[in-house]
Amino acid sequence: MLRFIVKRLALILVVILGVTVLTFFLMYLAPGDPAQLIATARYGPNLDSQQIDAIRTAEGLDAPVYIQYARWLGHLISGDFGNSLITGEPVINEISLRFPATLQLAFISLLISLLIAIPVGVISAVRRGSSLDYLCMGAALLGVSIPNFLLALLLILLFSVYLGWLPVYGKGGIEHLVLPSVTLGIAQAAIIARLIRSNMLDVLGQNYIRTARAKGLPDSSITFKHALKNALIPSVTVAGLQFAFLLEGSVIVESIFAWPGIGKLLVDSIFARDFAVIQGCSLLIAVIFTIINLAVDISYVYLDPRIRYGKPRNIG
Amino acid sequence: MKHIFRKTIALLVSLLIIACAIFSACNQQPVQTTSQPAKQQVVTIGMEQDMGSLDPGSVDGMYMVSFLVYESLVDLYPDFKKVPGLATSWQMSADGKTWSFNLRKGVKFHDGNPFNAQSVVTMINRNKKLTIPKYGFDLVQSMETPDDYTIRFLLSSPSYTFPSDMSMVFNAIVSPAALDSDGKKVLKASGTGPYKFVSWTKGQEVVLVRNDDYWGTKPQIEKVILKVIPDPQTRVMAIETGDIDLMLCNGQVPSQIQALKTNKDLHIASNVGGTCSLLFFNTFRQPFDDIRVRQAISSAIDVEGSVTKLLADMVVPANYVFSSRFQEFVNPNAVARKYNVAEAKKLLGEAGWQDSDNDGILDKDGKRLEMTLTYDTNDLTYRMLAEAFQSQLKEAGIDVKLTAVEFGAYYKLLANKKYDLMLTGQWFIPHDDPSQFYKNYYTAEGFYPVYNSDDMEQLIGKLQVCVDTSERLKLHYELQKHILDNALMIPVYYKLNVWVISNNIEGFKPYPGFWHLYKPLLEARVK
């Protein structure tokens, strides 16, 4: 197991390096002159070519791309993420200011989604083919299909504009968290509920369930103790990955609710070609994704005794 | 065994509650929700962009907040005309190379330090060290301070627009004590303006309080809270619920403004602002090198009809090179061509374009009259207009293809002259004197040259060094006439500064410009 973790950690380093290389070079493929876009974000579009050239030289954008990447990597190794090309603030400050807000939203959204998904998934699997099943799965289909900007606006209209129960936007007390996390949570819940339902159905058809029934165990015991526990395993992967997605920040939901998270920061930086911030954010996202993936894989060992890493026959 | 299920749910619920409790305890700022009780002079504004920095001229988002906290030597508030700011008067030498400013006495920065000639010297020297847009300060060769309240700028070349340049946000005066040891970075927002900076929660809000030691008339509003709300729909809903009291329309669609008009708790006020939007021809390409084709296209497009029908309340149709906010600089006799399809067809016929194959599209020497119309994909107003122009040009026998491009690509196409027709915003004119506009578009050294001619180059060259007021005005008039007579572009619309204002705010009169958009708060009060 330890060998497996060490090996995976080494691989993670390679993946992360790959992500930074790819992001850096992809940024240069986007249309537009970076120096000009940076200048525009800083000062508006009113600059002549000399002023733009001055920014190009000052920010080192005149060097070849690979040199720029090497410089960035050099600084990174010494622990320096660089400064934002727009605000001049250290990237690490920009990210650390916004990441907690994203983390908070992601965590609550995931909890809400599990709270909805588990009961809905279980009920529709147990009552398969009933009107309750159709209702639940219909709602799940709606939840997956509805674009989150639309859901966000509908929720604001209902709960803030008409009923006046919750604030429209911003970060503050718990009441500010409700609408953005429900918006994000509903889509996640829909995905996870459908997954739980199909896994439950799969498990409920297994021999050991038939055995349990033959032994005369009560239905509830079969459903929750024997079936749900096993059906939850694949959902852990999905929930883990969904959580990683949520941690990248949802730019649309963050924009609509004026939630000061990392998604909005990343997209603003892309439009302004703020390379330092884009690199910093993608690095963070890559680290989160790979670590969560590893954590999911490790958690299998505890959830499913059949899985054992490190033993050759069990490594896929 | 139902209890396992119940246990899972109970665990999740308790996790949710604990998480909420922990996170809300961690929040840095107290909740700022509903509108303030009447009489308490607090105003909440919803702004699109965070301010980004404490430096008055450093980041786009800071500009509007800047002029509540900082001031320049020359002010352009309230009518977009030069009035005394931190300087009470200014004089130019006969050769236009020396400008003397008499400074206001008894003014203090928010940190308690006195404002004097030395503070201006510090700021100009600082600006010269930075890579920021060079407005005026780059011309300053040396400065003399005969006494604490007089400053003389000795310029490297004559500049008639120097006081206008000094009105800009880049030249706002920051307390020298607020700069870092290098004298470059602004560490504290300490200006001389009517509001003092209190706090800035990044990505969330900026709080200002009234400067009770302000040298001018003290505003009635005691506290200004600027909330960052990037999404245009959310800003609308926030003002509908009373979470904010004021918002500047930007990114909203005309139907939203119509809907807001019917809200009895709100009112809408606007003033001309921003810049003019234009349609450029690529005069370096065929067939736009032919003046008759340009004139024909100018006649074939119904600018007034399209703008009025599609974008009412947000913009007004343009007839002149500059909007009315440039007052005396606008030549009343240089007017855009009127909509006239018959005239357009006649001109195209004269230029040799005929519909020889009767397909509705004109042709010449076997080539169809086809062109592309490029616009910024993020600008909804351009998309709506481009579609209207496309169908109007078809009537005149011109086949137009629409090309929407991303912002980054847009300026590159303009700079590299890779377009036929392009809908674009007028080069941002930074202050009350639009002299700089011509240079950027109509000279070979401009950043986005759209036309070159010896006549224009000569006129623009003369304007740059001319220091005689009436002579300059004549040159302005001549240049505008030249632009429209030669159909070098089509003025499309002037953007309005449209404000949605809660009815509990009175006296807020929208400003006709750009930098000082929040400054009407000085006259406003909460009912």
mmCIF file of all heavy atoms in Angstrom, chain A residues 104 172-174 177, chain B residues 19-28:
data_model
loop_
_atom_site.group_PDB
_atom_site.id
_atom_site.type_symbol
_atom_site.label_atom_id
_atom_site.label_comp_id
_atom_site.label_asym_id
_atom_site.label_seq_id
_atom_site.Cartn_x
_atom_site.Cartn_y
_atom_site.Cartn_z
ATOM 1 N N GLN A 104 -15.398 26.640 0.860
ATOM 2 C CA GLN A 104 -16.622 26.708 1.666
ATOM 3 C C GLN A 104 -17.843 26.340 0.815
ATOM 4 O O GLN A 104 -18.652 25.489 1.190
ATOM 5 C CB GLN A 104 -16.733 28.146 2.165
ATOM 6 C CG GLN A 104 -17.950 28.461 2.962
ATOM 7 C CD GLN A 104 -17.898 29.911 3.453
ATOM 8 O OE1 GLN A 104 -17.015 30.673 3.080
ATOM 9 N NE2 GLN A 104 -18.846 30.279 4.272
ATOM 10 N N GLY A 172 -21.389 36.401 3.201
ATOM 11 C CA GLY A 172 -21.659 36.926 4.523
ATOM 12 C C GLY A 172 -22.005 35.764 5.428
ATOM 13 O O GLY A 172 -21.248 34.800 5.518
ATOM 14 N N GLY A 173 -23.169 35.817 6.050
ATOM 15 C CA GLY A 173 -23.583 34.739 6.949
ATOM 16 C C GLY A 173 -24.074 33.517 6.190
ATOM 17 O O GLY A 173 -23.954 33.435 4.968
ATOM 18 N N ILE A 174 -24.654 32.563 6.954
ATOM 19 C CA ILE A 174 -25.132 31.317 6.351
ATOM 20 C C ILE A 174 -26.151 31.601 5.249
ATOM 21 O O ILE A 174 -26.170 30.932 4.227
ATOM 22 C CB ILE A 174 -25.757 30.417 7.436
ATOM 23 C CG1 ILE A 174 -24.678 30.006 8.426
ATOM 24 C CG2 ILE A 174 -26.395 29.172 6.820
ATOM 25 C CD1 ILE A 174 -25.217 29.315 9.651
ATOM 26 N N LEU A 177 -24.989 31.662 1.848
ATOM 27 C CA LEU A 177 -24.487 30.401 1.284
ATOM 28 C C LEU A 177 -25.591 29.572 0.644
ATOM 29 O O LEU A 177 -25.333 28.747 -0.215
ATOM 30 C CB LEU A 177 -23.873 29.583 2.406
ATOM 31 C CG LEU A 177 -22.360 29.498 2.461
ATOM 32 C CD1 LEU A 177 -21.950 28.842 3.763
ATOM 33 C CD2 LEU A 177 -21.811 28.719 1.293
ATOM 34 N N ALA B 19 -20.586 22.581 9.492
ATOM 35 C CA ALA B 19 -19.833 23.314 8.476
ATOM 36 C C ALA B 19 -20.337 24.746 8.363
ATOM 37 O O ALA B 19 -19.550 25.692 8.324
ATOM 38 C CB ALA B 19 -19.956 22.603 7.137
ATOM 39 N N CYS B 20 -21.669 24.887 8.338
ATOM 40 C CA CYS B 20 -22.250 26.225 8.234
ATOM 41 C C CYS B 20 -21.810 27.090 9.405
ATOM 42 O O CYS B 20 -21.425 28.245 9.239
ATOM 43 C CB CYS B 20 -23.767 26.168 8.200
ATOM 44 S SG CYS B 20 -24.395 25.571 6.641
ATOM 45 N N ALA B 21 -21.859 26.482 10.596
ATOM 46 C CA ALA B 21 -21.508 27.240 11.797
ATOM 47 C C ALA B 21 -20.048 27.668 11.746
ATOM 48 O O ALA B 21 -19.724 28.831 11.990
ATOM 49 C CB ALA B 21 -21.769 26.394 13.024
ATOM 50 N N ILE B 22 -19.171 26.720 11.380
ATOM 51 C CA ILE B 22 -17.736 27.046 11.335
ATOM 52 C C ILE B 22 -17.482 28.135 10.299
ATOM 53 O O ILE B 22 -16.836 29.136 10.564
ATOM 54 C CB ILE B 22 -16.899 25.786 10.997
ATOM 55 C CG1 ILE B 22 -16.977 24.790 12.158
ATOM 56 C CG2 ILE B 22 -15.443 26.162 10.714
ATOM 57 C CD1 ILE B 22 -16.346 23.454 11.859
ATOM 58 N N PHE B 23 -18.049 27.919 9.097
ATOM 59 C CA PHE B 23 -17.771 28.868 8.027
ATOM 60 C C PHE B 23 -18.322 30.253 8.322
ATOM 61 O O PHE B 23 -17.697 31.246 8.034
ATOM 62 C CB PHE B 23 -18.314 28.367 6.698
ATOM 63 C CG PHE B 23 -17.490 27.251 6.126
ATOM 64 C CD1 PHE B 23 -18.084 26.147 5.553
ATOM 65 C CD2 PHE B 23 -16.095 27.322 6.165
ATOM 66 C CE1 PHE B 23 -17.316 25.128 5.015
ATOM 67 C CE2 PHE B 23 -15.321 26.310 5.631
ATOM 68 C CZ PHE B 23 -15.925 25.207 5.067
ATOM 69 N N SER B 24 -19.498 30.277 8.916
ATOM 70 C CA SER B 24 -20.039 31.619 9.169
ATOM 71 C C SER B 24 -19.233 32.312 10.266
ATOM 72 O O SER B 24 -19.064 33.518 10.246
ATOM 73 C CB SER B 24 -21.521 31.560 9.523
ATOM 74 O OG SER B 24 -21.681 30.807 10.694
ATOM 75 N N ALA B 25 -18.670 31.510 11.188
ATOM 76 C CA ALA B 25 -17.831 32.109 12.223
ATOM 77 C C ALA B 25 -16.541 32.644 11.618
ATOM 78 O O ALA B 25 -15.969 33.611 12.097
ATOM 79 C CB ALA B 25 -17.516 31.072 13.286
ATOM 80 N N CYS B 26 -16.097 31.995 10.505
ATOM 81 C CA CYS B 26 -14.839 32.401 9.872
ATOM 82 C C CYS B 26 -14.990 33.635 9.000
ATOM 83 O O CYS B 26 -14.004 34.192 8.544
ATOM 84 C CB CYS B 26 -14.295 31.296 8.980
ATOM 85 S SG CYS B 26 -13.832 29.845 9.888
ATOM 86 N N ASN B 27 -16.214 34.020 8.704
ATOM 87 C CA ASN B 27 -16.389 35.125 7.765
ATOM 88 C C ASN B 27 -15.740 36.393 8.267
ATOM 89 O O ASN B 27 -15.836 36.761 9.425
ATOM 90 C CB ASN B 27 -17.870 35.368 7.498
ATOM 91 C CG ASN B 27 -18.357 34.405 6.449
ATOM 92 O OD1 ASN B 27 -17.619 34.137 5.505
ATOM 93 N ND2 ASN B 27 -19.540 33.864 6.631
ATOM 94 N N GLN B 28 -15.073 37.066 7.298
ATOM 95 C CA GLN B 28 -14.286 38.229 7.695
ATOM 96 C C GLN B 28 -15.153 39.460 7.923
ATOM 97 O O GLN B 28 -14.805 40.328 8.673
ATOM 98 C CB GLN B 28 -13.284 38.596 6.597
ATOM 99 C CG GLN B 28 -12.717 37.410 5.871
ATOM 100 C CD GLN B 28 -12.328 37.777 4.461
ATOM 101 O OE1 GLN B 28 -12.358 38.922 4.090
ATOM 102 N NE2 GLN B 28 -11.955 36.793 3.670
#
